[in-house]
Amino acid sequence: MAEPREAGAEAPPGPSGLSVLPGEAAEEPAPQESVLLLGGNEVKSRAVVKYSSAPPRAAFARLEEKTDLKLPPANWLRESAKLGPAGTTILGNSKRSKPFSSFGMAYDFIDSVGNDVDVVSDSENIKKLLKIPYSKSHVSMAVHRIGRTLLLDELDIQELFMRSSQTGDWTWLKEFYQRLIDQKWQRKKKSKEHWYQKAILSKFLYYSINGDGAAQPVPSAAEPGAPSSPDQTHEDTEGASWPAPFEMPSSVSDDPSASNQGLKNDFVRNILWTFEDIHMLVGSNMPIFGGGRYPAVSLRLRDNNKPINVLTGIDYWLDNLICNVPELVMCFHVNGIVQKYEMIKTEEIPNLENSNFSTKVIKDIAQNILSFLKSNCTKEGHTYWLFKASGSDIVKLYDLTTLCEETEDKYQNPFTVPVAILLYKVACNMMMKKNQNKKHYGTIRTLLLNCLKLLDKGRHPQIIASANYMLSELFQLDEPKKEESSESPLNENSDESYSEEEEEMPDSDENGAYGSSADPPDDKKAVAVIKSVGELSVPEKYKSIHQIRPSCAFPVCHDTEERCRLVLSYVLEGLKSVDSSIKRESDLPAADPSTPIPLKYEDESASGGPECLEKQMALFLDKMGSLQEGHCSSQSGMTPGSWQHKMKLQLILKSSKAYYVLSDAAMSLRKYGRALRYIKLALQSHDTYCCLCTNMLSEVLLFLSQYLTLCGDIQLMLAQNANNRAAYLEEFNYQTKEDQEILHSLHRESSCQGFAWATDLSTDLECQLSVSCKCYEAANEILLFSDLKSQNPEHYVQVLKRMGNIRNEIGVFYMNQAAAIQTERVVSKSVSAAEQQLWKKSFSCFEKGIHNFESIDDATNAALLLCNTGRLMRICAQAHGAAAAAAGGEDARREFSPEEALYYNKAIDYYLKALRSLGSRDVHPAVWDSVNWELSTTYFTMATLQQDYAPLSRKAQEQVEKEVSEAMMKSLKYCDVDTASARQPLCQYRAATIHHRLASMYHSCLRNQVGDEHLRKQHRVLADLHYGKAVKLFQLLKDAPCELLRVQLERVAFAEFQMASQNSSAGKLKTLSGALDIMMKAERAFQLIRKELVDECDQGKSDTSSSAPDPSAASLPREEVVKLLSIFESRLAFLLLQSIKLLSSAKKKVSHGEEEEALLKTNKQIYSQLLRATANQHATLLERIDVILHLMGQLSAGKEASEATPPPP
């Protein structure tokens, strides 16, 4: 039976039969402060019971006067729930010394350690410290620091040295003590009076609970030995109270509450006591009685002949304050005979006669001692020894850890393991809190690093491995890259960062002269000294100016690689610790960490190229199936479920994540060789994890899918940057010693070859692309296989996008190979089988890629792949066209083949599908414009080929002309000449060319057609229409003067053809006038040609002076210009001559007005000049063009003058 709160605590007691377990989160009542006013001094005290195993309080039996306490009661020395562990002891003292009592409490209330509590200790130790100025007794305590919390434990020197004599432990401390402190040390036995008082107190307590008379009489054999029984009990338990130095709890990780070897929290109650501003977690075993008029009292036995002194008063007062007991019942006796009882209130104790003391002074003593310890116990994990010799006024503080390190075995300090475990538990507790702020990561890291300093790697592999894993977990590998941001919580308080090796505090008058030069020689080993205990009573004599571990700054990692390397260093230490604890059952030779593991490279001939990947993928999928069945194949002999097995799994998984992040960072820096090396290590780690794991988690499978996706990205980038292959190979081959050691640890469990197919650095482009594709396929298979598709839709979409992209890349690769074969091949009458095979491969890749993009509704990329498929069809058509031309021979006329028509129509279908996939230009304007251009080009190419190589053996001329016309018009439909873009000049040139070709075709039809006058008229109108549109479009372009000139000359020829069929002179004159107008409109073409000629001359002069011609400058096609210029001169001369003839003959018949006269005169002058100019064989091209421009200017002026002349009346 137990109760959650004692009477007098902060809340009313709850129902009996309930207890608050240490590991459970019991709801604490709102604390109520108990303020005691004593002699004008105000002392604040507040106590909250955190845990109680005490039975329900019962009233004590008031003994009658003259009761002889020397006689044993019937129930003496029998276990009693009412007394608890205090049954056979002096009040408050446990039945044996407890050197680790504070650790037991700290383990149970781990949340309070390091943050909220200043001191954790037994109440007896607290009282002993606060009585130092009043007592001549010796003080010996061990002090440990965990964060801002100090753990205080009794360090019984006599017990230690007795153990040293028996076991040889602590010899170093014994030698130090005898040399510097007490050279004539010997065991001091306790007096008979001491044991007499213990026995009589024990009998008194048993009498006090024996009110029901139910106790059985004590056997007579026990009576003679009664006084010596406590002595015997004490001696027996003392020998077993200290643990062996090298032992530790059997399983720290699996059972946080495990406690043995003195680490058990065996106090009746644990109390959170706030004394002024000091927060303490105190353990107490004091029996508390209650009932009736006295709900909560403490019971004391006093010799009436011995007055209460100050030490006893302080003792009673502090016990009642700590347990929040309002009253004290004191039983007085003389030589064991009960005399009387007296009731004293707690606040009256400091004013008792002969026991008067100031509570304010006690408060000052408490604050000074705490400040002294906080200022000097600075190193977390170190064991400090607070010592005051009996009868001495000097208090000294030694660092036992430093003294122990000077011995042969620095692990002889038995406090080392409990302290390390406590540091580890506090860190674990902070890590487990879900809402833990990252700014506390520095504190956790410091706790773990100090824990690792204390432990021997060979003796405590489990804690070391776990601590290193927790250190690696502090570095979030997937966090955003904000290390350099001043607002990052990890960088806060960096100026107050806790150093792992704390600096010693400077001497200060307020601190007292710690270790001053005036100290005697034997104090040089002391960390600090209180020269006189009287100083402790001086208010604020010792101020703690040293802040015990302020907000510890987390190490700032300036880049991702530094952060991952820190993680891997901790992972490696953890792996070493696990591996060292495994007994190898196989006879495999141990790997030498200094020897690099050779990386295997295979030629494509040996590896079988892409075809071999199919087998490797099948093996991979088989392995994934076996993982679901729970197979485990460790080569090192680890037992599944053991701590080594669990820890190694976690460490390996952490290493794979770190390598993945490193690979991703290298990828972003375009260090593709390094990225492949890191992703290879990540996959090797994951392969080992798969070999060890008995139940694969979906999260781990998702990691694998992400690793393979990144590996595919890297292989693709290596394929696209083949020119830097040598540099990438050097990056790939480099290996750090840390990576080698991690790899050796992995090889203890697995061959690490499960993903070798994905991580080899190939020199063949096709192989790299195929490996990349297989990586994406494997990543997708994992998502489908483990049903992760629905749980991770974003990753699934990314994988499918990459699959579509790599299939496009492979399709383009095969398509370009086919085009290269077509270009380089010898003239052949048929398409080669190799070309056809490449077409099939390319088409298959495009088809699968289109399916990938369509399955995720990616219309834009699907349209691009449809566009590439259309291009493939055009390449097929070109190949068949070349074969058809070769089959016809040199003399035979080439015709547009049915195969060409089939593939061009297929290309058109794919382009139209691409447009339907996009839906509208708004979806993606650039892709929409590109598809339109390709579709226009396909129609134009097919129409051009049909026009130039008309298949007249299969179709009639009219049908061919109709198909050409339809194809040209469709090409115009998809040729956007109005939208301003980089492609607009090309579209204008394409449209102008189409109009030119259509006009030429209708012109040709008009020449060759005889008969149907309606059709001839229609062709005449269409030819004139398309010539006009072609001229308008060519005039918009600055780089097509020859095309403009050619169209104008064809228009002149068209006018001449029309003039030939005319009979009347007036009609001919009108046609001639129109033809001359067309000639004058060619002036812009000659101006553009002249400008380019002048630019070429200037460029030639500058090139001559600099002797470095510019190859990028586009040169004018001089031969074509000369040819067109000669035609232009001849046609201009012909038109002028015909005009002169017609005007002269008309003049003879009828008299003309001034307009005709002026026109005839102008034409004669121009014709004369033209003849003289053409007769000059030495004129340069530029001079000839200048003449033409001059003559066209005259023609224009003459025409304007004739039009301005008024007609005759």
Side-chain angles (χ1 to χ4, degrees), residues 332-381:
F332 294 89
H333 74 96
V334 175
N335 296 324
I337 305 300
V338 175
Q339 301 295 316
K340 63 176 179 177
Y341 281 83
E342 185 177 338
M343 181 74 69
I344 305 170
K345 291 185 178 181
T346 301
E347 59 266 29
E348 294 173 357
I349 295 174
N351 299 320
L352 293 177
E353 187 178 356
N354 299 319
S355 179
N356 191 286
F357 61 90
S358 169
T359 58
K360 181 71 173 174
V361 171
I362 302 296
K363 180 201 74 171
D364 292 335
I365 293 169
Q367 291 174 336
N368 280 325
I369 289 177
L370 180 63
S371 296
F372 173 78
L373 293 175
K374 280 191 173 184
S375 296
N376 296 287
C377 299
T378 57
K379 295 181 180 178
E380 196 167 42

Side-chain angles (χ1 to χ4, degrees), residues 112-115 117-120 144-151:
S112 301
V113 177
N115 296 315
V117 174
D118 295 301
V119 176
V120 178
H144 297 90
R145 168 197 148 189
I146 307 292
R148 60 165 285 183
T149 303
L150 297 176
L151 278 68

Side-chain angles (χ1 to χ4, degrees), residues 269-330:
R269 65 187 64 82
N270 300 126
I271 301 161
L272 189 60
W273 182 41
T274 303
F275 185 59
E276 287 293 318
D277 58 346
I278 304 172
H279 304 280
M280 291 176 271
L281 181 62
V282 181
S284 173
N285 290 324
M286 184 180 76
I288 300 177
F289 299 89
R293 293 174 53 195
Y294 312 112
V297 296
S298 58
L299 194 57
R300 303 287 181 170
L301 180 66
R302 290 297 304 171
D303 189 338
N304 204 21
N305 295 326
K306 296 179 182 178
I308 298 176
N309 57 26
V310 172
L311 294 176
T312 305
I314 293 174
D315 203 65
Y316 292 170
W317 180 70
L318 288 174
D319 267 332
N320 277 18
L321 274 189
I322 291 171
C323 296
N324 216 352
V325 176
E327 291 178 297
L328 164 69
V329 175
M330 198 173 297

